[in-house]
Amino acid sequence: MVFNDKVAEKMFEKMNDSDEGIRLAAAAGLKTLYQNGSLPMPQSNGNVNNHIHTQYSFSPYSPAKAAYMAWVNGLDTAGIMDHDSIAGAEEFIKAGEIFGIATTIGFECRVDFSKTQFNGKRLNNPDQASIAYVAMHGIPHQNIARAQEFLTPYREKRNLRNRKMVENINGILSPFGISIDFDTDVLPISNAQKGGSVTERHILFAVANKLLERFGKGEQLIAFLQNDMGIHISERNLTWLSDMDNPYYDYDLLGVLKSDMVEKFYIPAKEECPDVSEFIALAKEIGAIPAYAYLGDVGSSVTGDKKAQKFEDDFLPELVEALAKMEFCAITYMPTRNTLEQLQFLSGLCEKYSLFQISGEDINSPRQKFKNDLILTDNFKHLVTATWALIGHEKAATKNIAEGMFTPETVAKYPDLNQRIAVYEKIGRE
């Protein structure tokens, strides 16, 4: 964001302060500048996004700043979706109230499918077979603490593996006199001490910082990556890394490193991934909506950090049928990441097995746009309706968990999913 108003600029920066109270105060102050006419009021465009990461996993945005970015880009709703953590949810809700934007809360994690018929298959995880990314949507607010309690031991186990992966990275970098330390280089760029997670992106961001310290921006760094590290840099990324004034340089460098290096230092995750049945059990306990995160075969990666690779498409009908039997309630997907043909096929399967469809643009980099006008087109406008139904579910279940969208009582009352969506959309929009 660029402001002509110095006060606004300062408040914008403070929304990424280390103190939550300061972040929320800055959000309130910034909203006042819009209300008194010092800044032009954003215009709502009907857009929605249910998959925004914050600094409680990996993102350039605090929960307060993420809510602001959604609001200032004209979104009507925004959803927080951090890896292995829901520690930012309450701040996100409060920030949403400040800006007058409807919010929904959830978390993303990886689960183990090895006890299912998909053992050994590559699902939606670029790094590992049998392990899948899933999302817990619409968590009733009274159960935020329970969700975080569930995730805490898995974050702890993940950090044990993170330390070993840092050792692997140092083995790759040591011939060049470069190394990183988990405690002094990785942890400080995370919110681990406040209940956030540490991911492979944090590790590689620490590497990016070391490389920038050593080589600076531009030719010397590019030469090191290509000639010494043997990393292929796409034309798009090469253009970005050649631009000395690129405001997102560190994030673009991270994207280059992630697209090439993860497979070289990655250690398979096991203990930090609950069995898929445990994930479903938690969803039932806390009244949330468990969703499988469809990736689909990747051609050109929208985020610039995924290689062309095959995922679930070859066995998608079998997978969706099994997800329904496992009692997943939904499938979530990103309209900009797949082809129309992929998503129409997926949507048809969701309808066949009465699975709720949830959209989300995966925001964890400053280059990614909060607003996605594709979702307002005829092919995807049902995802806007679904978002309001998701918000309706969260509101209803926060008042009374038995009134959630997928409880036995609600399903008995409204057995048709489309009817249920219409009912909860109305609750969400009220």
Side-chain angles (χ1 to χ4, degrees):
M1 294 294 296
V2 178
F3 296 93
N4 294 324
D5 188 309
K6 291 184 178 180
V7 175
E9 181 68 37
K10 190 173 183 179
M11 289 179 180
F12 181 73
E13 292 173 358
K14 282 188 175 181
M15 278 196 295
N16 263 1
D17 190 271
S18 60
D19 184 276
E20 179 183 331
I22 292 175
R23 296 195 294 267
L24 289 170
L30 196 55
K31 177 64 180 298
T32 299
L33 294 179
Y34 285 93
Q35 289 174 322
N36 66 23
S38 299
L39 296 170
M41 190 67 75
Q43 297 301 307
S44 168
N45 53 41
N47 226 294
V48 300
N49 190 354
N50 299 303
H51 202 114
I52 302 170
H53 291 280
T54 78
Q55 291 173 342
Y56 283 91
S57 51
F58 187 86
S59 170
Y61 311 112
S62 70
K65 185 172 274 193
Y68 167 76
M69 292 296 293
W71 175 72
V72 81
N73 278 286
L75 273 67
D76 286 350
T77 77
I80 189 172
M81 187 58 56
D82 281 318
H83 289 285
D84 299 339
S85 174
I86 194 165
E90 291 183 357
E91 177 185 341
F92 192 76
I93 293 166
K94 292 174 184 176
E97 291 170 352
I98 289 170
F99 294 116
I101 183 171
T103 58
T104 180
I105 63 170
F107 67 81
E108 182 176 10
C109 69
R110 292 158 303 163
V111 297
D112 189 350
F113 273 73
S114 62
K115 294 179 182 177
T116 74
Q117 66 264 47
F118 304 103
N119 181 41
K121 287 187 177 290
R122 188 167 299 282
L123 296 159
N124 59 9
N125 189 333
D127 307 311
Q128 194 172 347
S130 306
I131 301 294
Y133 284 95
V134 291
M136 191 77 77
H137 279 281
I139 296 174
H141 299 177
Q142 67 271 30
N143 286 328
I144 291 173
R146 172 65 185 116
Q148 184 70 352
E149 177 189 35
F150 174 85
L151 293 167
T152 296
Y154 295 110
R155 288 195 307 275
E156 293 171 353
K157 291 172 182 175
R158 182 170 191 165
N159 279 339
L160 295 176
R161 186 175 64 94
N162 282 335
R163 290 181 181 277
K164 293 177 181 177
M165 289 194 294
V166 166
E167 293 176 6
N168 286 355
I169 275 206
N170 286 336
I172 296 169
L173 297 175
S174 59
F176 310 106
I178 301 170
S179 66
I180 60 172
D181 181 87
F182 185 76
D183 294 295
T184 60
D185 296 319
V186 180
L187 281 181
I189 58 177
S190 76
N191 266 356
Q193 300 304 318
K194 300 175 183 177
S197 63
V198 180
T199 70
E200 286 82 3
R201 280 187 170 90
H202 288 95
I203 295 171
L204 287 171
F205 204 68
V207 172
N209 289 337
K210 289 289 184 180
L211 295 181
L212 288 169
E213 288 175 13
R214 174 78 170 270
F215 300 106
K217 299 177 181 178
E219 291 183 6
Q220 191 177 0
L221 173 64
I222 292 170
F224 173 76
L225 294 171
Q226 291 179 321
N227 301 331
D228 295 301
M229 297 292 293
I231 295 176
H232 170 74
I233 305 176
S234 69
E235 288 300 318
R236 179 177 62 175
N237 285 325
L238 191 60
T239 298
W240 288 341
L241 293 188
S242 300
D243 181 3
M244 306 296 282
D245 297 319
N246 174 3
Y248 311 129
Y249 202 101
D250 48 358
Y251 283 87
D252 292 333
L253 176 55
L254 167 65
V256 169
L257 296 175
K258 187 173 184 296
S259 68
D260 182 271
M261 286 189 68
V262 172
E263 62 189 32
K264 298 175 181 176
F265 71 83
Y266 187 80
I267 295 173
K270 185 66 177 177
E271 292 184 354
E272 70 204 60
C273 302
D275 187 83
V276 61
S277 63
E278 295 177 55
F279 176 78
I280 297 296
L282 176 71
K284 291 181 179 179
E285 176 191 342
I286 66 176
I289 298 175
Y292 176 86
Y294 171 75
L295 180 59
D297 297 350
V298 173
S300 176
S301 171
V302 67
T303 53
D305 64 358
K306 290 183 177 66
K307 292 181 178 180
Q309 194 171 1
K310 290 188 70 64
F311 293 96
E312 318 101 312
D313 285 351
D314 287 346
F315 53 93
L316 193 59
E318 176 190 357
L319 175 62
V320 174
E321 180 182 11
L323 293 173
K325 290 179 179 177
M326 291 176 199
E327 298 187 78
F328 275 87
C329 299
I331 290 183
T332 179
Y333 53 89
M334 183 195 298
T336 60
R337 187 165 56 192
N338 303 101
T339 66
L340 180 59
E341 291 74 19
Q342 281 178 305
L343 296 183
Q344 286 177 330
F345 185 61
L346 174 66
S347 183
L349 290 170
C350 288
E351 291 174 6
K352 179 178 180 179
Y353 294 103
S354 296
L355 289 169
F356 190 39
Q357 297 176 57
I358 302 174
S359 69
E361 293 299 308
D362 192 356
I363 303 294
N364 54 37
S365 164
R367 283 200 182 274
Q368 291 166 298
K369 296 180 179 179
F370 279 74
K371 186 177 75 167
N372 167 29
D373 289 335
L374 185 64
I375 204 170
L376 303 178
T377 64
D378 288 344
N379 288 316
F380 297 109
K381 61 185 180 182
H382 65 285
L383 296 173
V384 176
T385 299
T387 294
W388 284 108
L390 172 61
I391 290 169
H393 154 82
E394 192 172 308
K395 288 168 66 175
T398 296
K399 290 180 181 178
N400 180 355
I401 197 170
E403 295 181 5
M405 191 173 172
F406 291 93
T407 63
E409 298 93 330
T410 300
V411 173
K413 189 175 182 180
Y414 307 109
D416 180 72
L417 177 59
N418 289 324
Q419 183 188 17
R420 222 177 314 148
I421 289 171
V423 169
Y424 280 85
E425 179 196 8
K426 184 177 179 180
I427 297 171
R429 289 185 182 274
E430 285 175 348

XYZ file of all heavy atoms in Angstrom, residues 293-343:
397
model
N -8.612 -30.105 0.684
C -8.125 -28.997 -0.147
C -7.659 -29.535 -1.502
O -6.558 -30.078 -1.617
C -6.989 -28.269 0.560
N -8.485 -29.392 -2.518
C -8.141 -29.881 -3.853
C -7.000 -29.064 -4.439
O -7.013 -27.831 -4.411
C -9.366 -29.778 -4.761
C -9.084 -30.059 -6.226
C -8.870 -31.356 -6.677
C -9.052 -29.021 -7.154
C -8.628 -31.622 -8.014
C -8.810 -29.275 -8.494
C -8.599 -30.569 -8.925
O -8.354 -30.815 -10.250
N -5.995 -29.771 -4.962
C -4.900 -29.108 -5.667
C -5.027 -29.337 -7.166
O -5.050 -28.400 -7.954
C -3.542 -29.616 -5.154
C -2.302 -29.013 -5.811
C -2.269 -27.496 -5.650
C -1.036 -29.630 -5.230
N -5.136 -30.587 -7.577
C -5.234 -30.884 -8.998
C -3.891 -30.802 -9.683
O -2.948 -30.181 -9.194
N -3.784 -31.445 -10.834
C -2.526 -31.433 -11.570
C -2.105 -30.003 -11.854
O -2.912 -29.164 -12.283
C -2.682 -32.199 -12.881
C -3.013 -33.669 -12.649
O -2.940 -34.127 -11.484
O -3.345 -34.361 -13.625
N -0.831 -29.697 -11.609
C -0.305 -28.341 -11.748
C 0.415 -28.194 -13.080
O 1.280 -28.997 -13.427
C 0.661 -28.006 -10.588
C 1.343 -26.666 -10.831
C -0.092 -27.980 -9.264
N 0.049 -27.151 -13.814
C 0.785 -26.791 -15.025
C 1.718 -25.657 -14.678
O 2.829 -25.853 -14.200
N 1.245 -24.415 -14.826
C 2.006 -23.234 -14.442
C 1.527 -22.780 -13.075
O 0.338 -22.521 -12.870
C 1.805 -22.110 -15.460
O 2.466 -20.927 -15.049
N 2.435 -22.711 -12.090
C 2.065 -22.379 -10.717
C 1.753 -20.897 -10.570
O 2.570 -20.037 -10.890
C 3.200 -22.757 -9.762
O 2.956 -22.262 -8.468
N 0.569 -20.583 -10.035
C 0.171 -19.189 -9.845
C 1.049 -18.494 -8.819
O 1.289 -17.295 -8.899
C -1.322 -19.113 -9.438
C -1.555 -19.720 -8.065
C -1.805 -17.678 -9.454
N 1.553 -19.229 -7.831
C 2.393 -18.623 -6.807
C 3.875 -18.670 -7.166
O 4.702 -18.114 -6.449
C 2.195 -19.344 -5.458
O 2.403 -20.748 -5.642
C 0.799 -19.118 -4.929
N 4.218 -19.328 -8.247
C 5.609 -19.358 -8.686
C 6.497 -20.273 -7.878
O 7.711 -20.295 -8.047
N 5.924 -21.063 -6.952
C 6.762 -21.916 -6.112
C 6.395 -23.394 -6.205
O 6.776 -24.183 -5.362
C 6.719 -21.443 -4.648
C 5.334 -21.569 -4.021
O 4.404 -21.987 -4.734
O 5.194 -21.241 -2.833
N 5.615 -23.765 -7.224
C 5.278 -25.175 -7.427
C 5.672 -25.601 -8.836
O 5.421 -24.887 -9.800
C 3.780 -25.421 -7.211
C 3.331 -25.297 -5.764
C 1.856 -25.612 -5.621
C 1.423 -25.569 -4.163
N 1.523 -24.217 -3.605
N 6.280 -26.767 -8.927
C 6.651 -27.302 -10.220
C 5.424 -27.912 -10.896
O 4.439 -28.257 -10.247
C 7.715 -28.385 -10.045
C 9.062 -27.883 -9.559
C 10.026 -29.043 -9.448
C 11.410 -28.572 -9.018
N 12.359 -29.706 -8.917
N 5.520 -28.076 -12.225
C 4.495 -28.834 -12.934
C 4.523 -30.258 -12.382
O 5.576 -30.886 -12.311
C 4.768 -28.821 -14.419
N 3.362 -30.758 -11.964
C 3.342 -32.045 -11.277
C 1.915 -32.602 -11.273
O 0.943 -31.856 -11.287
C 3.822 -31.857 -9.823
C 4.178 -33.122 -9.092
C 4.848 -32.825 -7.746
O 5.010 -31.671 -7.369
N 5.228 -33.858 -7.032
N 1.789 -33.928 -11.239
C 0.474 -34.556 -11.204
C 0.069 -34.842 -9.758
O 0.896 -35.266 -8.950
C 0.475 -35.848 -12.019
C 0.586 -35.617 -13.522
C 0.384 -36.899 -14.305
C -1.043 -37.389 -14.256
N -1.989 -36.444 -14.904
N -1.216 -34.620 -9.479
C -1.739 -34.876 -8.147
C -2.969 -35.781 -8.216
O -2.875 -36.885 -8.730
C -2.008 -33.549 -7.427
C -0.742 -32.798 -7.124
C -0.284 -31.795 -7.965
C 0.033 -33.128 -6.023
C 0.900 -31.131 -7.706
C 1.225 -32.467 -5.747
C 1.655 -31.469 -6.596
N -4.163 -35.305 -7.794
C -5.296 -36.200 -7.599
C -6.109 -36.512 -8.845
O -6.992 -37.372 -8.811
C -6.288 -35.619 -6.573
C -5.667 -34.978 -5.362
C -5.651 -33.459 -5.497
O -5.226 -32.967 -6.564
O -6.062 -32.774 -4.559
N -5.881 -35.823 -9.931
C -6.836 -35.876 -11.037
C -7.051 -37.276 -11.619
O -8.159 -37.604 -12.056
C -6.408 -34.912 -12.149
C -6.678 -33.456 -11.782
O -7.347 -33.231 -10.743
O -6.230 -32.555 -12.509
N -6.025 -38.114 -11.625
C -6.167 -39.437 -12.230
C -7.117 -40.350 -11.453
O -7.635 -41.317 -12.006
C -4.797 -40.125 -12.347
C -3.937 -39.527 -13.444
O -4.487 -38.782 -14.272
O -2.719 -39.796 -13.466
N -7.331 -40.061 -10.164
C -8.229 -40.910 -9.363
C -9.229 -40.059 -8.583
O -9.696 -40.447 -7.515
C -7.415 -41.794 -8.403
C -6.441 -41.055 -7.523
C -6.804 -40.638 -6.248
C -5.148 -40.777 -7.969
C -5.904 -39.968 -5.430
C -4.241 -40.109 -7.148
C -4.622 -39.703 -5.889
N -9.590 -38.914 -9.152
C -10.454 -37.974 -8.439
C -11.837 -38.548 -8.110
O -12.321 -38.367 -6.983
C -10.582 -36.674 -9.233
C -11.203 -35.487 -8.474
C -10.384 -35.142 -7.236
C -11.312 -34.273 -9.395
N -12.527 -39.242 -9.018
C -13.847 -39.794 -8.653
C -13.774 -40.734 -7.452
O -14.618 -40.679 -6.551
C -14.278 -40.525 -9.921
C -13.568 -39.812 -11.028
C -12.226 -39.460 -10.458
N -12.761 -41.588 -7.447
C -12.582 -42.514 -6.330
C -12.313 -41.744 -5.036
O -12.843 -42.077 -3.969
C -11.415 -43.461 -6.636
C -11.072 -44.422 -5.504
C -9.764 -45.171 -5.746
O -9.154 -44.985 -6.813
O -9.365 -45.931 -4.851
N -11.488 -40.688 -5.120
C -11.133 -39.909 -3.942
C -12.344 -39.180 -3.367
O -12.584 -39.218 -2.154
C -10.034 -38.903 -4.297
C -9.638 -37.912 -3.188
C -9.087 -38.654 -1.973
C -8.626 -36.907 -3.713
N -13.106 -38.519 -4.224
C -14.250 -37.746 -3.731
C -15.283 -38.663 -3.090
O -15.855 -38.337 -2.033
C -14.874 -36.908 -4.873
C -16.153 -36.220 -4.396
C -13.867 -35.858 -5.356
N -15.529 -39.816 -3.687
C -16.453 -40.775 -3.081
C -15.960 -41.194 -1.694
O -16.737 -41.265 -0.727
C -16.594 -42.008 -3.978
C -17.542 -43.051 -3.414
C -17.643 -44.297 -4.284
O -16.815 -44.450 -5.215
O -18.551 -45.113 -4.033
N -14.657 -41.445 -1.586
C -14.094 -41.869 -0.302
C -14.157 -40.743 0.729
O -14.426 -40.991 1.911
C -12.649 -42.317 -0.501
N -13.910 -39.507 0.298
C -13.983 -38.375 1.226
C -15.381 -38.260 1.824
O -15.531 -37.994 3.028
C -13.613 -37.078 0.502
C -12.158 -36.939 0.041
C -11.989 -35.679 -0.821
C -11.204 -36.882 1.231
N -16.392 -38.444 1.003
C -17.770 -38.388 1.496
C -18.020 -39.492 2.521
O -18.655 -39.255 3.557
C -18.746 -38.489 0.330
N -17.510 -40.677 2.265
C -17.680 -41.792 3.203
C -16.910 -41.556 4.504
O -17.324 -42.015 5.567
C -17.222 -43.092 2.553
C -18.148 -43.577 1.443
C -17.644 -44.863 0.810
C -18.593 -45.348 -0.288
N -18.078 -46.566 -0.968
N -15.786 -40.840 4.419
C -15.011 -40.504 5.621
C -15.679 -39.411 6.458
O -15.224 -39.090 7.532
C -13.609 -40.019 5.226
C -12.705 -41.064 4.639
S -11.126 -40.286 4.122
C -10.505 -41.519 2.998
N -16.740 -38.828 5.913
C -17.516 -37.762 6.548
C -16.849 -36.398 6.444
O -17.070 -35.535 7.294
C -17.885 -38.108 7.990
C -18.765 -39.355 8.084
C -19.275 -39.601 9.483
O -20.223 -38.913 9.895
O -18.687 -40.473 10.167
N -16.050 -36.191 5.402
C -15.711 -34.821 5.029
C -17.019 -34.155 4.599
O -17.865 -34.776 3.953
C -14.711 -34.799 3.879
C -13.276 -34.910 4.308
C -12.695 -36.157 4.484
C -12.513 -33.777 4.534
C -11.379 -36.267 4.881
C -11.194 -33.884 4.937
C -10.620 -35.127 5.113
N -17.159 -32.886 4.945
C -18.371 -32.150 4.571
C -18.167 -31.272 3.346
O -19.146 -30.814 2.749
C -18.825 -31.260 5.729
S -19.241 -32.161 7.222
N -16.907 -31.015 2.992
C -16.650 -30.013 1.955
C -15.356 -30.288 1.221
O -14.487 -31.033 1.697
C -16.605 -28.621 2.591
N -15.230 -29.653 0.066
C -13.966 -29.564 -0.659
C -13.713 -28.090 -0.916
O -14.617 -27.342 -1.316
C -14.007 -30.352 -1.974
C -14.047 -31.863 -1.674
C -12.800 -30.020 -2.858
C -14.016 -32.751 -2.890
N -12.487 -27.662 -0.633
C -12.116 -26.275 -0.871
C -11.114 -26.208 -2.015
O -10.278 -27.102 -2.166
C -11.521 -25.629 0.411
O -11.148 -24.277 0.140
C -10.325 -26.391 0.928
N -11.229 -25.160 -2.827
C -10.331 -25.042 -3.973
C -10.157 -23.574 -4.360
O -10.925 -22.698 -3.942
C -10.828 -25.856 -5.170
C -12.256 -25.606 -5.607
C -12.560 -24.616 -6.540
C -13.307 -26.383 -5.121
C -13.862 -24.400 -6.968
C -14.612 -26.178 -5.536
C -14.893 -25.183 -6.465
O -16.182 -24.977 -6.881
N -9.120 -23.330 -5.173
C -8.761 -21.982 -5.594
C -9.085 -21.827 -7.084
O -8.404 -22.432 -7.925
C -7.264 -21.733 -5.361
C -6.811 -20.324 -5.702
S -5.002 -20.144 -5.842
C -4.485 -20.578 -4.192
N -10.086 -21.027 -7.436
C -10.469 -20.921 -8.853
C -9.345 -20.491 -9.791
O -9.316 -20.915 -10.944
C -11.590 -19.872 -8.818
C -12.204 -20.038 -7.464
C -11.040 -20.331 -6.557
N -8.400 -19.675 -9.310
C -7.343 -19.199 -10.208
C -6.238 -20.231 -10.415
O -5.384 -20.045 -11.271
C -6.705 -17.906 -9.670
O -6.132 -18.164 -8.374
C -7.730 -16.789 -9.561
N -6.223 -21.286 -9.622
C -5.097 -22.222 -9.677
C -5.318 -23.348 -10.673
O -4.376 -24.043 -11.072
C -4.829 -22.791 -8.275
C -3.576 -23.650 -8.187
C -3.144 -23.898 -6.761
N -4.188 -24.500 -5.951
C -4.130 -24.599 -4.618
N -3.095 -24.086 -3.978
N -5.097 -25.178 -3.950
N -6.560 -23.574 -11.065
C -6.876 -24.708 -11.931
C -7.563 -24.252 -13.203
O -8.006 -23.107 -13.309
C -7.772 -25.692 -11.183
C -7.163 -26.192 -9.893
O -7.517 -25.718 -8.822
N -6.238 -27.128 -9.988
N -7.672 -25.165 -14.145
C -8.404 -24.859 -15.369
C -9.902 -24.965 -15.101
O -10.339 -25.627 -14.148
C -8.034 -25.838 -16.494
O -8.491 -27.148 -16.131
C -6.525 -25.863 -16.725
N -10.685 -24.337 -15.955
C -12.137 -24.408 -15.823
C -12.608 -25.858 -15.940
O -13.514 -26.295 -15.210
C -12.809 -23.535 -16.894
C -14.344 -23.509 -16.882
C -14.874 -23.005 -15.542
C -14.856 -22.639 -18.034
N -11.987 -26.625 -16.838
C -12.370 -28.017 -17.024
C -12.129 -28.830 -15.740
O -12.962 -29.659 -15.355
C -11.585 -28.634 -18.183
C -11.948 -28.102 -19.563
C -11.409 -26.696 -19.826
O -10.468 -26.265 -19.119
O -11.941 -26.036 -20.743
N -10.987 -28.596 -15.087
C -10.706 -29.297 -13.834
C -11.785 -29.011 -12.798
O -12.291 -29.922 -12.134
C -9.347 -28.853 -13.272
C -8.132 -29.494 -13.917
C -6.839 -28.956 -13.322
O -6.616 -27.742 -13.301
N -5.988 -29.846 -12.841
N -12.127 -27.730 -12.649
C -13.044 -27.340 -11.590
C -14.490 -27.709 -11.900
O -15.270 -28.001 -10.990
C -12.902 -25.849 -11.300
C -11.523 -25.444 -10.746
C -11.484 -23.974 -10.411
C -11.157 -26.281 -9.520
